[in-house]
Amino acid sequence: MTDTTSGAPVDRARASDLSAVGRFLKATELDTRMLGMVGALLIIWIGLHLLSGGLFLTPRNLWNLSVQSSSVAVMATGMVLVIVTRNIDLSVGSILGFVGMVMGVTQAEFLPRVLGLPLGDPWIWVIALATGLVVGAAIGALHGFLIAYLSIPAFIVTLGGLLVWRGAAWWMTSGRTVAPMDATFRLMGGGPDGAIGSTWSWVIGLVACAAVVVMLLNGRRQRKRFKFPLRPVWAEFFLGTVTCAAILAAVWVVNSYPWPVNIVRRYAEANGIAIPEGGLFIAHGIAIPVLIAIAVGVVMTFITTRTRFGRYVFAIGGNPEAAELAGINTRWVVLKIFMLMGLLAAVASAISTARLNAATNAQGTLDELLTIAAAVIGGTSLAGGSGTIAGAMLGALLMQSLQSGMVLLGIDTPLQNIVVGLVLVVAVWLDTIYRKRI
């Protein structure tokens, strides 16, 4: 009786629900792994918000979280290419620290003393940043040469780099902290001056929404042109609406975080603005390091999906022997990957150094763990051949959310490291299970 009157209908209803979900996912072509990451991130955010007494999901904390995630997110985009080709880079944290020290010494000591350029000179931050980018790319090229042309395993080369560049950063200043940084250079680190304000944030948000619509329309046009299957119109509308809603919601959050009262007071006095009785509200808006990270993500996505180099990277990761037999210069591609990784580590170093307003010997410590974890959690397989830039950046946000939440909860640093390590192990385990299923 149970089977015919209650059990069977329940089973049919459950099968119908699963079928509806399957049809929805097929129509929208959403990545289930990405959806799982978004769901996990939302669960973590809600849980930390409840445990912290309502402190986590506030505009202030979310704004700071976005800034703190930027440097790791930038490096994670490069780590995707490294891991896709079945390599690893354990030196990115040390490269970040060394390049930060190079940029710090360049603008705070070398240029003022040797060339006589005073702090505030418009060329100081340009020269310092350019020097850091060149040094980062050179270090990456050195690592790539040792790995690709001398056939030394990437694990050994970058493990040596972890020790060498950390020691070189200390040796450069005998352990001293170098500060302060140039005022223009500091804009790359965020803060009230390192954000674009409310108006420009809305402008960028609307431009991003327009870009999403154009991409969807262009994608549909290209599918028609090459006679590929088309998504239903409702699916295109759903994707555009959800994406634009997420963008505008993010802009609203960053515009809800005001400047500190003392900074507002100084700004009002300097510009002759009368402060009303209820106070003067000036929004931070989108932070410059977040814009840098987004720009890097867009460029790296284009490189991986729209260029010959990107296709070569995934071909090498899928089957290195077949890629070489197909005529791909695998050694040159690997060298360029590590050069790009070094360049991105330099960009992350500029963000980190500007945010701290100092170059320290502790900069970048354990950032290699966070970067690798972000890429793996974001769906990049350690077996090679698969990974996405967007997933890695989302993974960086997830890892930083865990750390930020644990700080709010007053959890000690050793326990934070334990949690991060466990999350990395679980992520690799889930990736193994996923690959077996497909």
Side-chain angles (χ1 to χ4, degrees), residues 56-348:
F56 190 85
L57 291 178
T58 59
R60 175 181 180 179
N61 189 64
L62 292 176
W63 191 90
N64 288 325
L65 177 63
S66 68
V67 173
Q68 293 163 1
S69 303
S70 298
S71 60
V72 173
V74 167
M75 292 193 293
T77 63
M79 190 62 72
V80 170
L81 304 189
V82 173
I83 296 178
V84 160
T85 53
R86 307 184 185 186
N87 290 301
I88 199 72
D89 194 338
L90 303 175
S91 65
V92 291
S94 296
I95 294 175
L96 185 153
F98 176 72
V99 173
M101 193 61 72
V102 168
M103 289 189 290
V105 170
T106 299
Q107 62 188 293
E109 298 181 359
F110 179 78
L111 291 177
R113 294 177 184 176
V114 177
L115 299 183
L117 294 178
L119 282 176
D121 187 285
W123 282 104
I124 279 193
W125 76 273
V126 175
I127 296 173
L129 179 61
T131 301
L133 295 177
V134 170
V135 170
I139 292 172
L142 174 62
H143 289 179
F145 176 80
L146 296 175
I147 294 164
Y149 289 92
L150 299 187
S151 300
I152 305 174
F155 181 89
I156 299 301
V157 171
T158 58
L159 179 60
L162 181 151
L163 301 172
V164 168
W165 304 117
R166 181 64 63 190
W170 189 94
W171 174 78
M172 186 178 298
T173 60
S174 300
R176 288 187 297 109
T177 294
V178 178
M181 301 295 102
D182 178 77
T184 306
F185 183 85
R186 289 202 302 269
L187 298 180
M188 290 186 289
D193 293 330
I196 62 174
S198 175
T199 302
W200 280 108
S201 295
W202 283 118
V203 169
I204 288 179
L206 293 174
V207 170
C209 288
V212 169
V213 173
V214 170
M215 288 173 59
L216 289 173
L217 293 175
N218 184 62
R220 191 172 184 84
R221 188 180 303 112
Q222 292 297 323
R223 286 175 180 237
K224 284 183 179 179
R225 177 184 175 189
F226 294 105
K227 296 182 172 27
F228 289 166
L230 297 176
R231 281 192 293 249
V233 175
W234 68 263
E236 303 275 14
F237 182 79
F238 172 82
L239 291 173
T241 302
V242 171
T243 305
C244 289
I247 292 171
L248 296 179
V251 174
W252 175 77
V253 169
V254 297
N255 283 342
S256 299
Y257 177 38
W259 285 9
V261 175
N262 291 334
I263 295 179
V264 170
R265 185 182 298 112
R266 289 197 295 269
Y267 175 82
E269 291 174 355
N271 292 274
I273 300 174
I275 299 179
E277 186 176 347
L280 183 62
F281 184 97
I282 302 178
H284 278 76
I286 304 173
I288 290 177
V290 176
L291 291 177
I292 294 173
I294 293 173
V296 168
V298 171
V299 172
M300 290 297 291
T301 299
F302 177 83
I303 289 174
T304 55
T305 60
R306 302 289 182 178
T307 66
R308 182 182 300 176
F309 170 72
R311 291 193 293 272
Y312 286 174
V313 168
F314 283 89
I316 292 171
N319 192 325
E321 293 79 12
E324 194 160 0
L325 290 173
I328 298 174
N329 189 343
T330 56
R331 291 183 175 181
W332 176 232
V333 172
V334 170
L335 188 149
K336 287 195 289 186
I337 288 170
F338 278 91
M339 184 186 298
L340 182 59
M341 183 72 256
L343 182 65
L344 292 172
V347 174

Side-chain angles (χ1 to χ4, degrees), residues 379-394:
T380 305
S381 174
L382 289 171
S386 65
T388 63
I389 301 300
M393 298 186 76
L394 193 58

